[in-house]
Amino acid sequence: MKEKKTFRGLKLYKVSMVVLAVLLAVGFTACGDDKGGASSDTTVATGLTVEHRVNPMSTGTLTPRLSWKMKSEGRGQYQSAYRVIVASSEYILSGGAGDVWDSGKIPSVQSLDVKYAGPALEPQKTYYWKVKLWDQNDMELDWTDAAYFHTGIVDQSEWQGQWIGLVQVPDVYPSPYLRKEFSLSGEVSRAYLYCTALGVYEMYINGEKAGKDEMAPGFTDYNKRVQYQTYDVTSLLKKGDNAIGGILGAGWYTGEHAMNLGHLRVYGDNPCLLAQLKIEYKDGTSETMVTDSTWKATADGPISSTSNFDGETYDARKELTGWDKPGYDDSAWGTPSTFSYSGAIAAQKDQPVQVIKEIEPVDFWESGSKPGVYIFDLGQNFAGKVRLKIKGEAGQTVTLRHAEVLQPSYGKDPAGAAANDIYVGNLRTADATDIYTLKGEGTEVYVPRFTYHGFRYVEATGLSSSPSKDTITGLVMTTNTPVTGTFTTSNELVNQLQSNIEWSLRSNFFSVPTDCPQRDERAGWTADAQLFSPTATYLVDAYAFLGDKWMQDMRDAQNSETGEIPNIVPDTNLTPGTNEWNVKWGRVGWADAVIIVPYVLWQRYGQTDVITENYQAMMDYIDSVSAAAVDYIPGDNYYAWGDHLNLDDETDKTMLKTTYYAYVTGLMSEMAAAVGEEADSQTMSELSAAVKNAFGQHYVAPDGTISTGSQTAYALPLATGILDESRRQSAVLNLKFRLANNGGHLSTGFLGTPCLLPALSDNGYLEEAYDLLLLEDYPSWLYPVTVGATTMWERWDSRKEDGSYQTTDMTSFNHYAYGAVGDWMYRNIAGIRADSPGFRELTIMPRPGGGLTSAKGTLESVYGLISSEWAETASSFTLSVTVPPNTTATVCVPGDGNDSVTEGGVPAADSEGVTELDAVDGYRRFSVGSGSYSFTVVSQ
């Protein structure tokens, strides 16, 4: 009897990817045969975006970029032509007319960043648009639903108002309230509020908040620019008497910045507001109201202090009831001060920070050491704030302290805290405390306006009675980037790891990509972002956040004379009150984000604008590194921290510099070629080759050993591709030896960790990569999961094996850097890989191992949904895939010529839209166009 064969445990090697032909506007046949699919009845265009956002309220440009997707259940579908119409009203658009622009039928497969090419658009105006497509058979499809965009204020000269606020006394930070009443004589047709602040703000009209944004206008280098927001406030206005008002907080402008050792007012002394209300009447007339000295102002309100780090203090007895409505007596208010600002005022490029989820406590209890003090467990570490619901006496004060973890589990500490009390030692100087004083009027609800915390636990002091679960509700805050990826496996620990990665992204994508949300830091560390960006771009649509907004921050932060990039962006390493840097410029692996992040975004989203917009900044940075190199080896003036937070396994810093120098010049060569800069591409290619050669001569011995010999010393050159082929196998064997010498455990820090699994799996050692991923004891990715972590940790041993915590001044339980492993999981376990920018050509090749019996990954790419779902038994392997229109895919299933492979119940080679390719390294490979497919491999 023939022995049954299992697919689990097959020795898998890196597959040589087949480069498929680029889709053409005409003459394309799905999968290279004559089985091209007919359009499905459900084929439509969808997912319309402008400037990488859905219905943006300010494009900031009069030539916006338009994108869409094609959605179809049919096979082999692609766009052969499109037509865009733009109209001045939704009514005109609904009639199929484009009174502003009608592109006509354009034979093209382009669906990304199609630039508006009609007559000049007007600023501060809303336009409506939609798209019609033609499929591969030149069949005309239906129009999309209507979408819109608002151009907003495009030129600085359009701002008519003044910056207003109050001059604050040093070390006193009450929130200014500003207001103005006005009367409208006609019926309002449309009204738009353009507003921003130096500090953070909220705007109100007739008692209602404008928009849902939090901590607006967000974090930028205020010395260079501030973002503004636009709100459609038509529904908030009425004929007759109206009132408009704003509240200001410290935010990032006058608040603390840890990199200045807690100094305040790095950017300025006084928060101030700029607002402009444009009102259009139904009779065709319009008027504009602006902030100026005719407004009224007071600092004698309920908010006595605001701080990102320390929290908010609020006295409800001092509430200004009705201050934002007409008829309020503001006779005691004063005249606001006016201020000047010389930076740029730019339309917000990324999605706003918003509350995206509410979390109820999973438990609460009375403190073991402080009677009457209660601890609430929200069950999840996150960034945000809480809603307090309470009754009590006037003057009663409730103090809310926030923490990520409880006291170590081995009993009371020397200070007398019990094991069920909160632990705040890792917050350093951040108080993370909100204080609310009751007004004593029935049930009171308090939500802080101008702060946020990183926490799972809330300690409430000052309650007048035992609480209930609805006393505290968690409000999750994040930059509201659209979710694009999902990932699950048959291993629940891996699923929790995936959840931890997702929650750390949400916690740290907060106006800028921060390192942590809880302690006195929360800075845009460049290394963290570049290391995590490949994972982030599977999880969310990060193009607007990282590419449009944060890369602008990086260009603002770049040294204009030398091209150097700082370690954090925006850069708060300024000595307060000066423009002098108090630390040296960016380190290797940190500053290189200026090259790596645009490259990742180009690869994942397919748009080349991220290259052209940052081209000069990238070239200038490479020049700065080259200026620090001698014989292609960067010297001491190209700084290095090394492999940050490695486990006593240091890597030679000059070797790290040389590795990154070779790597980023190679990436720059590819990007230069992509935008037609062939001469630069050739120069960068030659420079990269020269640095690689210097690396080999200086650091690699003939037997493949590398200087220092750390795990990172092998993993980083292997994963970045700077080793020549003759030395790769000896290097990976040395890496295996280093791992074995460490008991099979990793010892890498920030720079080396993302490279470990690719270095193994891409060089023939897939099972060893799985072994490393699935370790459960310290140090490993799953060790934190086994002890209850709900986010990624900054250190492998943030919580030690004995239950104690790291006692250094740098211990975060919510850091996404080590979550960079998510990229490997998507590419190998789910098997979703891009073969060309934007996944226009892709490979779906799950690589089972580690005892996993099933997995599913999805990605809403720029072309549509990509899905890979597989399951494995002892005798069969099934793989269901979805490929979006306008793309082609190579689908790979484990097997050889003796195995039966079917698709949809028929032999795969005979299935509609499927063409079998040559088998490679134990995989049967099939070329497919768009559509859904189900492959089954049965062992013979």
Side-chain angles (χ1 to χ4, degrees):
M1 180 177 180
K2 185 176 180 180
E3 181 181 358
K4 286 187 176 181
K5 166 173 73 170
T6 176
F7 289 94
R8 192 177 309 140
L10 280 175
K11 195 172 186 180
L12 306 178
Y13 297 89
K14 183 179 180 183
V15 173
S16 299
M17 302 299 177
V18 175
V19 179
L20 301 178
V22 176
L23 292 171
L24 301 176
V26 293
F28 174 83
T29 305
C31 309
D33 59 19
D34 58 1
K35 306 171 188 175
S39 286
S40 164
D41 291 338
T42 58
T43 302
V44 293
T46 186
L48 277 62
T49 64
V50 179
E51 292 295 300
H52 311 120
R53 290 167 288 152
V54 176
N55 297 333
M57 284 304 297
S58 285
T59 63
T61 176
L62 300 181
T63 54
R65 297 166 291 183
L66 315 176
S67 299
W68 57 84
K69 300 175 184 179
M70 185 177 181
K71 183 179 180 181
S72 176
E73 296 177 359
R75 293 188 174 183
Q77 302 294 303
Y78 71 96
Q79 164 193 315
S80 63
Y82 68 82
R83 178 185 172 196
V84 175
I85 58 173
V86 179
S88 58
S89 74
E90 194 167 9
Y91 176 77
I92 293 174
L93 189 78
S94 67
D99 63 324
V100 176
W101 180 46
D102 186 337
S103 71
K105 182 180 179 181
I106 307 294
S108 173
V109 297
Q110 184 181 1
S111 60
L112 305 177
D113 283 356
V114 174
K115 286 199 173 182
Y116 172 82
L121 298 177
E122 297 178 29
Q124 303 180 50
K125 186 174 178 61
T126 298
Y127 294 93
Y128 301 84
W129 70 292
K130 59 184 178 181
V131 180
K132 178 195 290 286
L133 303 182
W134 283 259
D135 71 3
Q136 71 282 353
N137 298 315
D138 201 33
M139 180 182 294
E140 184 175 351
L141 307 179
D142 292 336
W143 286 106
T144 65
D145 292 335
Y148 65 86
F149 61 89
H150 186 78
T151 52
I153 293 177
V154 178
D155 189 87
Q156 300 287 99
S157 64
E158 297 172 51
W159 288 100
Q160 302 173 34
Q162 296 175 298
W163 291 91
I164 61 172
L166 289 173
V167 176
Q168 295 189 335
V169 177
D171 301 322
V172 179
Y173 305 97
S175 281
Y177 281 63
L178 304 131
R179 72 183 305 273
K180 182 180 178 65
E181 292 194 23
F182 57 97
S183 181
L184 301 180
S185 58
E187 297 291 337
V188 176
S189 172
R190 296 296 291 268
Y192 297 100
L193 177 62
Y194 309 98
C195 42
T196 186
L198 301 178
V200 288
Y201 76 94
E202 289 184 353
M203 294 295 294
Y204 293 82
I205 294 179
N206 295 332
E208 298 290 332
K209 181 182 175 181
K212 299 179 180 179
D213 300 350
E214 303 277 348
M215 304 296 285
F219 188 14
T220 54
D221 181 346
Y222 298 98
N223 292 320
K224 300 290 181 65
R225 76 185 61 246
V226 64
Q227 296 193 136
Y228 74 86
Q229 288 69 46
T230 304
Y231 301 108
D232 185 336
V233 295
T234 307
S235 64
L236 303 185
L237 294 171
K238 60 184 180 179
K239 185 177 181 180
D241 293 337
N242 293 264
I244 183 172
I247 314 174
L248 293 169
W252 296 273
Y253 182 70
T254 62
E256 303 97 332
H257 288 281
M259 302 318 295
N260 278 278
L261 303 178
H263 286 301
L264 297 165
R265 304 183 177 187
V266 170
Y267 294 106
D269 293 329
N270 304 285
C272 48
L273 175 71
L274 178 67
Q276 189 161 307
L277 176 62
K278 182 179 181 182
I279 304 163
E280 299 172 0
Y281 295 104
K282 290 184 179 179
D283 65 4
T285 61
S286 66
E287 67 174 309
T288 300
M289 290 186 49
V290 300
T291 47
D292 57 23
S293 59
T294 66
W295 285 49
K296 302 295 286 292
T298 184
D300 189 20
I303 307 174
S304 61
S305 66
T306 65
S307 165
N308 287 357
F309 295 166
D310 294 337
E312 181 176 290
T313 300
Y314 188 98
D315 188 341
R317 296 171 300 177
K318 300 181 68 175
E319 285 182 344
L320 306 171
T321 304
W323 72 276
D324 52 359
K325 296 179 180 179
Y328 178 78
D329 181 6
D330 60 9
S331 58
W333 291 35
T335 300
S337 303
T338 58
F339 302 89
S340 61
Y341 177 65
S342 60
I345 307 170
Q348 181 163 358
K349 294 186 174 185
D350 58 336
Q351 295 83 5
V353 172
Q354 294 181 333
V355 172
I356 64 165
K357 184 181 179 67
E358 295 190 0
I359 301 179
E360 296 180 355
V362 296
D363 197 8
F364 68 93
W365 59 84
E366 190 172 12
S367 164
S369 64
K370 294 175 283 188
V373 174
Y374 289 87
I375 313 296
F376 293 82
D377 178 5
L378 280 302
Q380 173 64 54
N381 199 1
F382 66 97
K385 54 190 177 182
V386 301
R387 180 171 61 236
L388 172 67
K389 186 177 180 181
I390 188 176
K391 290 182 179 181
E393 300 295 325
Q396 176 184 335
T397 296
V398 176
T399 300
L400 304 175
R401 293 205 302 163
H402 304 74
E404 294 188 288
V405 292
L406 298 175
Q407 288 287 337
S409 58
Y410 48 77
K412 291 188 177 182
D413 69 7
N420 67 356
D421 287 343
I422 62 171
Y423 174 81
V424 296
N426 69 314
L427 303 185
R428 299 194 303 215
T429 66
D431 288 341
T433 300
D434 297 327
I435 301 172
Y436 178 73
T437 300
L438 283 74
K439 57 188 172 183
E441 299 178 4
T443 299
E444 301 181 36
V445 176
Y446 168 61
V447 178
R449 280 184 172 87
F450 300 133
T451 191
Y452 79 101
H453 312 288
F455 65 103
R456 170 176 172 171
Y457 300 94
V458 180
E459 176 196 83
T461 302
L463 303 179
S464 56
S465 60
S466 297
S468 59
K469 278 192 175 182
D470 69 350
T471 300
I472 293 290
T473 302
L475 305 179
V476 179
M477 296 166 63
T478 186
T479 293
N480 199 2
T481 51
V483 175
T484 54
T486 65
F487 177 83
T488 57
T489 75
S490 56
N491 186 313
E492 288 305 316
L493 293 179
V494 173
N495 294 345
Q496 184 61 50
L497 172 63
Q498 171 70 11
S499 175
N500 293 1
I501 294 170
E502 293 170 358
W503 276 99
S504 284
L505 178 148
R506 281 303 185 194
S507 301
N508 287 294
F509 272 26
F510 204 101
S511 188
V512 301
T514 63
D515 57 330
C516 59
Q518 77 295 100
R519 67 182 180 227
D520 56 353
E521 191 163 348
R522 313 183 200 187
W525 285 101
T526 46
D528 302 52
Q530 69 92 351
L531 295 165
F532 188 67
S533 58
T535 297
T537 49
Y538 274 114
L539 299 175
V540 298
D541 182 352
Y543 193 99
F545 177 69
L546 290 177
D548 290 334
K549 195 273 183 181
W550 193 59
M551 287 306 301
Q552 175 67 69
D553 293 336
M554 193 172 297
R555 296 194 299 275
D556 286 345
Q558 187 172 28
N559 188 314
S560 59
E561 295 180 358
T562 66
E564 293 171 291
I565 298 292
N567 300 300
I568 58 175
V569 171
D571 192 353
T572 56
N573 285 332
L574 291 173
T575 301
T578 77
N579 287 319
E580 297 176 2
W581 308 102
N582 62 20
V583 297
K584 290 181 179 180
W585 282 90
R587 267 66 170 176
V588 61
W590 276 253
D592 299 284
V594 72
I595 305 289
I596 296 171
V597 172
Y599 181 84
V600 169
L601 295 175
W602 168 50
Q603 289 295 304
R604 293 295 164 81
Y605 300 113
Q607 289 103 327
T608 56
D609 280 359
V610 73
I611 301 175
T612 55
E613 289 167 357
N614 296 287
Y615 194 86
Q616 193 60 52
M618 293 189 287
M619 293 295 287
D620 288 348
Y621 171 69
I622 289 176
D623 286 346
S624 76
V625 179
S626 297
V630 176
D631 295 331
Y632 304 107
I633 303 295
D636 292 341
N637 52 341
Y638 178 38
Y639 312 112
W641 269 311
D643 189 23
H644 184 54
L645 297 184
N646 68 86
L647 298 174
D648 297 320
D649 194 14
E650 293 289 345
T651 304
D652 181 88
K653 292 179 180 179
T654 305
M655 194 218 78
L656 288 174
K657 299 176 192 179
T658 311
T659 302
Y660 265 94
Y661 187 24
Y663 177 51
V664 298
T665 49
L667 301 185
M668 193 66 228
S669 175
E670 291 185 50
M671 288 189 283
V675 295
E677 299 287 349
E678 296 298 337
D680 284 347
S681 177
Q682 181 64 28
T683 298
M684 289 296 104
S685 177
E686 293 171 355
L687 177 56
S688 181
V691 180
K692 289 176 184 178
N693 182 62
F695 177 89
Q697 291 181 351
H698 282 77
Y699 300 110
V700 186
D703 63 356
T705 57
I706 297 178
S707 296
T708 305
S710 67
Q711 290 181 12
T712 292
Y714 292 104
L716 187 60
L718 281 165
T720 54
I722 74 161
L723 286 177
D724 60 67
E725 289 300 320
S726 65
R727 292 172 171 177
R728 290 185 67 85
Q729 199 57 29
S730 58
V732 76
L733 289 173
N734 275 301
L735 173 59
K736 283 186 60 185
F737 175 76
R738 293 290 302 183
L739 287 163
N741 266 6
N742 200 40
H745 291 80
L746 53 79
S747 59
T748 48
F750 273 31
L751 299 186
T753 297
C755 302
L756 274 176
L757 300 189
L760 293 168
S761 62
D762 292 351
N763 290 284
Y765 294 97
L766 180 67
E767 282 303 322
E768 286 78 359
Y770 270 109
D771 289 344
L772 197 56
L773 173 68
L774 298 177
L775 281 174
E776 297 179 22
D777 58 336
Y778 168 81
S780 67
W781 282 282
L782 295 185
Y783 164 66
V785 173
T786 65
V787 295
T790 60
T791 44
M792 303 302 296
W793 293 351
E794 179 180 23
R795 295 173 175 268
W796 298 113
D797 61 346
S798 288
R799 179 188 186 275
K800 297 182 180 180
E801 292 175 283
D802 65 2
S804 64
Y805 304 134
Q806 265 284 353
T807 56
T808 70
D809 64 352
M810 193 172 68
T811 304
S812 162
F813 293 91
N814 198 345
H815 242 75
Y816 54 48
Y818 290 142
V821 70
D823 175 65
W824 186 90
M825 295 195 298
Y826 268 95
R827 290 188 300 108
N828 289 274
I829 300 177
I832 299 174
R833 300 184 178 216
D835 294 336
S836 67
F839 291 88
R840 185 147 208 171
E841 298 163 339
L842 65 138
T843 290
I844 298 180
M845 186 183 72
R847 306 179 74 186
L852 300 182
T853 58
S854 64
K856 180 178 181 179
T858 66
L859 172 64
E860 185 63 37
S861 74
V862 291
Y863 292 107
L865 180 66
I866 302 169
S867 178
S868 169
E869 182 174 11
W870 61 268
E872 184 181 50
T873 68
S875 59
S876 68
F877 178 88
T878 60
L879 174 62
S880 298
V881 304
T882 298
V883 178
N886 289 334
T887 71
T888 56
T890 300
V891 179
C892 305
V893 294
D896 56 35
N898 297 320
D899 301 310
S900 169
V901 182
T902 60
E903 191 288 307
V906 301
D910 298 331
S911 182
E912 177 188 355
V914 178
T915 299
E916 184 160 12
L917 306 172
D918 294 337
V920 175
D921 293 337
Y923 272 95
R924 298 278 293 276
R925 303 182 311 131
F926 302 89
S927 175
V928 301
S930 69
S932 295
Y933 303 83
S934 180
F935 291 87
T936 300
V937 187
V938 177
S939 174
Q940 300 295 310

